[in-house]
Amino acid sequence: MNPVLAMIIANVIWGAAAPIFKYALNDIPPFTFLFIRFFIAAFIFYPTIKGFNFRSLSNKDWIEIILGTIMGFTIHIGLLFVGLQKTESINSSVIVIGSPILLFIFSVLFLHEKIHKKLLGGLLISTVGVLFIVFSPLLLNGSLKESSTDLEGNLLYLGSMIGNVLSILLFKRVATKISPYALTFLSFAISSATFFPFMIRELGSWNFTMLGSEGMIGIFYGVFFSSAIAYYLYFYGLSKMSGEEVGIFGYLNPIFTVLVAIPLLKEIPSLYFIIGSVFIFTGMMVSELKVHVHFIHQFKGTHR
C-alpha cells in the first residue's frame, strides 16, 4: 500500500474518533474503555504474529517499544480520554495537530533531519493557532475560575500531544526493523497492561451491567477502526516516511472531528476555535506541506 494513503486513512479514522469516544464516555469510565479497547485489539492481532521471532529484538528495541507505547498510548491516549470528560472533543484534534512543530524540532535534534525554513515558518504560525485555542476558555469566560474545567481539558490535550510526539520518535527506528503487525500487537498488549490497574480502580464505582449502547458503539469503533485498522496503517506509514512528514497528516483530523461532533454531540465551533484553526491551516499552507512531493514519489514507486 502507498504509505501516504495509509497515513491519510489512519488520520481520518482518528479524526472521527474523539467525538465518538466522548459520546461513549457517557456510558463507561475512560480507563476501563481503554483496557477493553486495546486488550481485544491485541487478541485480534495475535494470529498475525505467529512465526515472528521475538528473540530477534535487542534490548534497545524492547526499550524503545515499551517507552514508545507508554508515551503514545498510556500518556497520549490516557490524557486525551481524561480531557474528553472536561471539555469539547473538537478542541482535541486541533490542539494535537500542533505536534508537527515539536516533531520538527525533535527530528532536527535527535534524527538529524534537515531544517526547512518554509516548513519551520508555517509550523510557527500553526503554533499560534494552537495556543489561541488552548487558552480560548479564558477569552470566552473572562475569568480563570469559570474557565478552569475547559482550560484543564485543553491542557490535558496539550500533554497528550507531547506524548504523541515522543512516541513517534521512539517508534521511528524500531518501526523500520520489525513488521507493522508485530509492532501493533506489542503496543496493544503493553498498553492494555498499563491501563489495567486504572481499570481496577474504576470498577470500584462502576460495573459492566451499566454498559449501554453508547459505550458499545465506542468500544466497537475503538477496537476495529481506531485500533486495529488505524494503528496498523500508521505503523506501516511510519516505517516508510520521515518524522516531520508523519506529523503533517494530523491536519486532516479536525475536519472529520467537527463533521462528526456537530451532529453527534451538538458541539458548535466558537469564534476563537475558528480563528485558531485559520492560523493553523495558514501555517500548513505556508509550509507548503512538502508532503505532496513525497506523495508523487511514493505513488510512482508503488505503481511503476
Side-chain angles (χ1 to χ4, degrees), residues 4-5 13 43 45 49 56 76 83-84 88 100 103 161 177 212 221 225 252 256 264 266 275-276 282 301:
V4 173
L5 179 60
I13 291 173
F43 183 80
F45 258 76
I49 63 161
S56 65
H76 167 49
L84 285 172
E88 294 183 334
L103 266 176
M161 176 192 75
K177 186 174 180 180
Y221 188 88
F225 289 93
L252 293 169
F256 293 91
L264 184 65
K266 304 299 186 291
I275 293 173
T282 299

Side-chain angles (χ1 to χ4, degrees), residues 1-303:
M1 175 184 283
N2 182 284
V4 173
L5 179 60
M7 279 293 182
I8 290 173
I9 295 173
N11 280 279
V12 167
I13 291 173
W14 285 334
I20 292 174
F21 292 156
K22 185 175 178 66
Y23 177 76
L25 291 176
N26 292 323
D27 216 24
I28 183 173
F31 295 111
T32 302
F33 181 104
L34 290 171
F35 172 79
I36 295 171
R37 170 187 171 183
F38 290 118
F39 182 80
I40 296 176
F43 183 80
I44 292 172
F45 258 76
Y46 179 71
T48 68
I49 63 161
K50 288 184 178 179
F52 179 78
N53 181 16
F54 288 98
R55 293 182 179 180
S56 65
L57 298 175
S58 66
N59 291 336
K60 183 179 180 181
D61 294 334
W62 280 110
I63 290 172
E64 290 177 346
I65 291 171
I66 293 171
L67 289 179
T69 299
I70 291 173
M71 290 295 173
F73 288 75
T74 312
I75 293 178
H76 167 49
I77 302 177
L79 292 180
L80 172 65
F81 268 61
V82 176
L84 285 172
Q85 294 182 305
K86 297 179 179 294
T87 191
E88 294 183 334
S89 66
I90 58 176
N91 290 359
S92 65
S93 60
V94 177
I95 291 172
V96 170
I97 65 170
S99 59
I101 185 65
L102 288 178
L103 266 176
F104 178 82
I105 294 171
F106 291 159
S107 293
V108 170
L109 292 177
F110 301 113
L111 301 181
H112 307 294
E113 295 184 3
K114 296 180 180 179
I115 296 176
H116 302 279
K117 292 182 179 179
K118 285 189 177 181
L119 180 60
L120 177 60
L123 294 177
L124 288 174
I125 295 172
S126 296
T127 300
V128 173
V130 170
L131 294 176
F132 199 84
I133 292 172
V134 168
F135 294 102
S136 63
L138 291 175
L139 300 172
L140 286 167
N141 299 317
S143 72
L144 181 61
K145 183 177 180 180
E146 293 181 4
S147 60
S148 59
T149 301
D150 286 324
L151 181 60
E152 183 182 354
N154 287 344
L155 290 174
L156 286 167
Y157 291 155
L158 196 60
S160 173
M161 176 192 75
I162 294 172
N164 183 47
V165 170
L166 293 175
S167 74
I168 292 174
L169 296 176
L170 288 163
F171 278 134
K172 176 57 186 170
R173 188 192 68 86
V174 74
T176 63
K177 186 174 180 180
I178 68 175
S179 75
Y181 293 109
L183 185 55
T184 303
F185 168 78
L186 288 172
S187 298
F188 290 164
I190 294 169
S191 62
S192 62
T194 65
F195 289 126
F196 182 76
F198 297 100
M199 180 188 72
I200 295 300
R201 183 177 179 180
E202 290 177 341
L203 292 179
S205 57
W206 185 88
N207 63 74
F208 286 97
T209 62
M210 302 166 67
L211 181 64
S213 59
E214 294 175 357
M216 292 297 293
I217 290 172
I219 289 172
F220 180 83
Y221 188 88
V223 169
F224 293 100
F225 289 93
S226 194
S227 294
I229 296 174
Y231 272 105
Y232 169 75
L233 294 174
Y234 169 77
F235 284 132
Y236 174 79
L238 183 62
S239 69
K240 306 292 184 181
M241 305 178 72
S242 70
E244 62 186 40
E245 288 174 319
V246 168
I248 292 175
F249 287 94
Y251 287 119
L252 293 169
N253 287 13
I255 299 171
F256 293 91
T257 300
V258 171
L259 288 176
V260 175
I262 290 176
L264 184 65
L265 302 174
K266 304 299 186 291
E267 292 183 0
I268 307 300
S270 68
L271 176 62
Y272 297 109
F273 177 92
I274 295 171
I275 293 173
S277 298
V278 168
F279 270 96
I280 290 169
F281 284 100
T282 299
M284 179 181 67
M285 294 175 66
V286 169
S287 70
E288 294 184 346
L289 284 184
K290 250 183 93 250
V291 164
H292 72 283
V293 177
H294 186 89
F295 180 89
I296 294 172
H297 173 74
Q298 291 291 344
F299 185 85
K300 289 180 178 179
T302 49
H303 295 274

